[in-house]
Amino acid sequence: MVISEPIRSEIDAEIAKFPKPRGALLRAMHLVQAEHGHVSTDCARELAEIFEMRPIEVMEVVSFYNMFFDKPQAKHHVYVCTNLPCSLRGARVLLAQLESHLGVQAPGDTADGRIHLGHEECLGACAYAPMMRIDDQYFEDLDVEKAKSILDSLGE
Amino acid sequence: MLQSPYVTSYLTEHFGNDEFTTLDGYERLGGYQAARKALTEMSPDDLIELVKASGLQGRGGAGFSMGMKWSFMPKEDDRPKYLVCNADESEPGSFKDRIMLERGAHQMLEGILIAAWATGAAATFIYIRGEYSFPADCVERAVAEAYEKGYFGANAMGTGFSHDVRVTRGAGAYICGEETGLLESLEGKKGQPRKKPPFPAQYGAFGMPTTVNNVETYSHVPHIINKGIDWFRAFGTDKSPGTTIFGVSGHVARPGLYELPLGTPLSEIVFEHAGGVPGGRKVKGVIPGGMSMPILPAGLLDVPMANEFLREQKTMLGTGGIMVMDETTCMVRVASIISYFFRDESCGQCTQCREGTGWMNKIVERIERGAGEQSDIDVLLDVAGKMEASTICAFADAAAWPIQGLLRHFSEDFIAHIGGRKCPFPESFEL
């Protein structure tokens, strides 16, 4: 088993809350990904058993959503919102500066594989632009220096 | 960071007060009285009639009457019925639901409880976009508090009525804001919209009769119960009553949220409330209601922000997300950013949308880099026209409308790129 016992019981508890088991699939994927960093083929196989689906159906769901990954990921995900409201307030300049600060072309990982830098579509922070999402957290009202120092202080 | 609205009214009055985010504090400020009144003194039919008569329109984009939606739920049907709260706010330029979730979760939950009683729903599924991690935490905490207090569950408020609330977190897909795409996602599938009919009221979440309403729409309901229809209709216009929370972004001095009556002139919001364009520059165009809604040029900003007036200008209120662009803005660049977004987010089911969004983006980008031909404008209009009203959901329309709007009001920018073979706005987006 690759999915741990505690996560497995959490998934079972979630399944009980929905009229059909599959209503808990997205939640289960979030839980699995929080534990493993991505939804591996092995995890997908186990999820398929739990939800009585075919593994390919599980992977179809994984690939449909931007926030699920089927491959190992960098430790931190940094996304600069480059949709229209953020772009009007300098998001593209910010992204370019962060690309050269980290030495990476977005979307891409730093050489040490620690940080993934990408752009994202609207994150609902339009008045507080430019902004970036790092993992689960929003950082808003940024300027280039502020954003760089946030990146520099990211934990290992 | 997310800030309380600069102008508040009944929905957001207490958003600056931390107390309002807890169940106890919310009740001290008058919360859950409307739900108690509805569940103990009002029949479901009376409630539906009341909400119909209030004229409350959905605040998620389409602007459909909430009371009408409730009345579509079948009465003679033994199947369990469900409600969905659409908290998948993803329309570019929109960020009002985020603050409703973070600062007003109990107000929304109270609206949900009232709607549940009115429609006889057994459960509500609150679907929150995956990126809204903190807002979802706030909602989950509020749901747990309300369960603990006995407001949800087997015996809601001690009335014998049973109602459960579940929170589902999405995982990053704009299309899941479309109500049937949302239903698919809720069921653990790819969020590809369903063919209609059957409509959700017949075949919705998990195949059961379902009504989908937006976060803000639910939040208006307790106020209508507490204070009555006349009070509610005193805000806004005859056809579009109540307030809404406008989100203003882009080139303005005070970007942020503003709760104002529907029908407030766009110019008042942009120039008086949001302080106009900084640096003495002029406005070039304003998108009035989220990125799907066609742009208005500077000369048309006196329009009142209500659908009956906006439609005359070939645009709509949408989500009330107002994006302001000053005179340095290249409208071809704007078209490029917009068309890229829709190309990226098309779910791929319908040919017109999957191919059309790609074509539009390719042509616009070609024009932007100075390689466009005069005929490209006609091709763009042709593709956009063929995408309208021809697909399973309104996404293709939402992709076509803003491009049509930009060509309607700013064709000179496109022509200048094609004729000059380069962008004539070097300063655009270099702020």
Side-chain angles (χ1 to χ4, degrees):
Chain A
M1 301 298 278
V2 278
I3 300 175
S4 72
E5 258 325 302
I7 295 295
R8 176 61 209 260
S9 14
E10 228 178 303
I11 290 173
D12 288 339
E14 287 298 322
I15 286 174
K17 293 182 186 169
F18 288 88
K20 290 180 184 168
R22 210 169 148 173
L25 181 63
L26 260 51
R27 178 70 68 134
M29 283 179 176
H30 280 301
L31 288 168
V32 166
Q33 199 165 270
E35 186 175 51
H36 296 267
H38 70 293
V39 183
S40 65
T41 315
D42 288 340
C43 288
R45 210 171 283 129
E46 283 184 27
L47 285 170
E49 273 172 40
I50 296 169
F51 287 92
E52 297 183 0
M53 299 161 63
R54 286 175 297 152
I56 183 74
E57 290 178 289
V58 174
M59 293 317 287
E60 272 178 9
V61 175
V62 169
S63 68
F64 184 83
Y65 296 95
N66 292 339
M67 293 174 74
F68 292 139
F69 307 107
D70 62 359
K71 290 184 182 65
Q73 296 297 305
K75 177 137 177 73
H76 296 291
H77 278 232
V78 177
Y79 297 104
V80 175
C81 173
T82 54
N83 203 293
L84 183 57
C86 278
S87 286
L88 290 169
R89 298 183 80 88
R92 285 168 197 256
V93 178
L94 174 66
L95 180 60
Q97 293 285 326
L98 295 186
E99 282 180 321
S100 60
H101 184 64
L102 293 173
V104 49
Q105 202 181 346
D109 294 355
T110 51
D112 59 6
R114 209 167 65 84
I115 296 175
H116 174 85
L117 178 69
H119 73 90
E120 210 161 38
E121 297 301 340
C122 187
L123 290 164
C126 317
Y128 320 107
M131 64 84 67
M132 59 186 177
R133 176 168 80 89
I134 303 182
D135 306 325
D136 279 345
Q137 227 184 322
Y138 279 20
F139 296 87
E140 301 172 288
D141 302 306
L142 294 174
D143 55 46
V144 173
E145 289 315 310
K146 210 150 98 182
K148 280 184 189 168
S149 75
I150 292 166
L151 292 189
D152 292 343
S153 67
L154 279 180
E156 291 302 315
Chain B
M1 57 172 283
L2 190 58
Q3 286 169 12
S4 282
Y6 287 113
V7 179
T8 62
S9 186
Y10 57 88
L11 284 176
T12 59
E13 188 186 351
H14 302 296
F15 277 18
N17 181 354
D18 286 343
E19 230 193 339
F20 197 68
T21 63
T22 68
L23 189 143
D24 287 349
Y26 179 65
E27 291 205 293
R28 270 197 296 279
L29 292 160
Y32 285 110
Q33 283 173 15
R36 198 167 279 112
K37 181 177 170 190
L39 267 63
T40 57
E41 295 172 26
M42 298 177 75
S43 75
D45 285 343
D46 288 349
L47 266 174
I48 292 175
E49 286 314 309
L50 182 85
V51 173
K52 258 193 206 169
S54 76
L56 174 61
Q57 297 167 341
R59 300 290 200 254
F64 195 78
S65 154
M66 189 187 218
M68 288 294 280
K69 260 193 189 176
W70 291 5
S71 73
F72 294 153
M73 288 285 263
K75 292 205 170 59
E76 311 298 321
D77 197 320
D78 292 337
R79 295 179 295 165
K81 289 172 237 170
Y82 298 132
L83 294 178
V84 167
C85 176
N86 187 343
D88 192 55
E89 178 171 69
S90 312
E91 181 66 28
S94 315
F95 50 103
K96 69 181 173 71
D97 290 343
R98 183 176 157 211
I99 202 165
M100 304 294 289
L101 301 169
E102 288 188 12
R103 308 298 301 180
H106 279 294
Q107 177 175 255
M108 173 187 82
L109 289 175
E110 187 179 8
I112 285 172
L113 182 54
I114 295 164
W117 173 244
T119 55
T124 296
F125 303 100
I126 303 173
Y127 185 97
I128 306 176
R129 69 177 295 186
E131 296 89 344
Y132 277 6
S133 178
F134 179 66
D137 291 344
C138 296
V139 172
E140 285 182 349
R141 199 177 54 233
V143 169
E145 279 184 313
Y147 261 99
E148 204 172 309
K149 193 85 192 253
Y151 290 176
F152 291 113
N155 184 18
M157 291 190 153
T159 60
F161 176 63
S162 166
H163 191 75
D164 282 307
V165 175
R166 304 286 181 245
V167 177
T168 292
R169 295 176 191 230
Y174 171 80
I175 195 61
C176 293
E178 196 277 345
E179 66 175 4
T180 60
L182 188 158
L183 295 174
E184 287 289 295
S185 182
L186 191 60
E187 294 183 12
K189 299 170 189 163
K190 295 184 282 183
Q192 293 185 318
R194 297 174 181 172
K195 283 188 196 124
K196 288 143 281 206
F199 290 95
Q202 276 76 46
Y203 188 91
F206 305 99
M208 302 302 163
T210 301
T211 297
V212 183
N213 290 118
N214 163 265
V215 172
E216 186 197 323
T217 324
Y218 282 115
S219 306
H220 284 275
V221 174
H223 300 279
I224 295 171
I225 308 288
N226 280 333
K227 296 169 208 145
I229 293 173
D230 292 342
W231 169 86
F232 180 71
R233 296 196 75 105
F235 296 92
T237 70
D238 208 29
K239 288 189 175 135
S240 303
T243 63
T244 196
I245 305 166
F246 294 105
V248 187
S249 61
H251 297 144
V252 288
R254 277 190 304 280
L257 294 161
Y258 297 85
E259 185 185 355
L260 292 161
L262 287 171
T264 303
L266 182 53
S267 52
E268 183 188 320
I269 300 172
V270 171
F271 297 108
E272 290 175 35
H273 296 297
V277 179
R281 292 187 299 275
K282 293 194 183 75
V283 170
K284 183 167 181 178
V286 178
I287 298 176
M291 215 163 77
S292 306
M293 296 305 149
I295 193 166
L296 292 168
L300 294 177
L301 302 187
D302 287 332
V303 63
M305 289 292 282
N307 273 329
E308 65 269 30
F309 301 102
L310 287 160
R311 278 204 192 95
E312 287 175 15
Q313 304 302 339
K314 296 195 162 92
T315 188
M316 274 175 72
L317 178 69
T319 57
I322 296 168
M323 287 168 265
V324 180
M325 286 157 263
D326 73 19
E327 58 192 332
T328 66
T329 311
C330 168
M331 289 300 174
V332 177
R333 185 89 165 116
V334 170
S336 158
I337 291 172
I338 292 177
S339 58
Y340 174 86
F341 171 76
F342 285 106
R343 175 189 189 172
D344 195 46
E345 295 290 346
S346 172
C347 85
Q349 269 194 118
C350 307
T351 311
Q352 296 91 324
C353 180
R354 186 185 60 243
E355 302 299 319
T357 52
W359 281 37
M360 283 202 305
N361 183 235
K362 260 187 244 171
I363 297 168
V364 170
E365 286 186 352
R366 184 162 72 216
I367 297 173
E368 190 193 2
R369 62 171 189 266
E373 302 295 331
Q374 200 61 45
S375 59
D376 280 345
I377 293 179
D378 293 331
V379 179
L380 264 181
L381 286 169
D382 184 46
V383 172
K386 287 185 169 120
M387 288 166 66
E388 277 185 285
S390 65
T391 49
I392 289 174
C393 81
F395 179 99
D397 306 79
W401 292 338
I403 301 301
Q404 290 168 333
L406 286 162
L407 285 167
R408 185 155 57 238
H409 297 298
F410 298 101
S411 59
E412 67 276 12
D413 281 17
F414 291 78
I415 292 164
H417 278 74
I418 293 166
R421 309 211 73 78
K422 63 175 174 30
C423 178
F425 301 97
E427 284 174 48
S428 190
F429 295 96
E430 298 296 328
L431 198 94

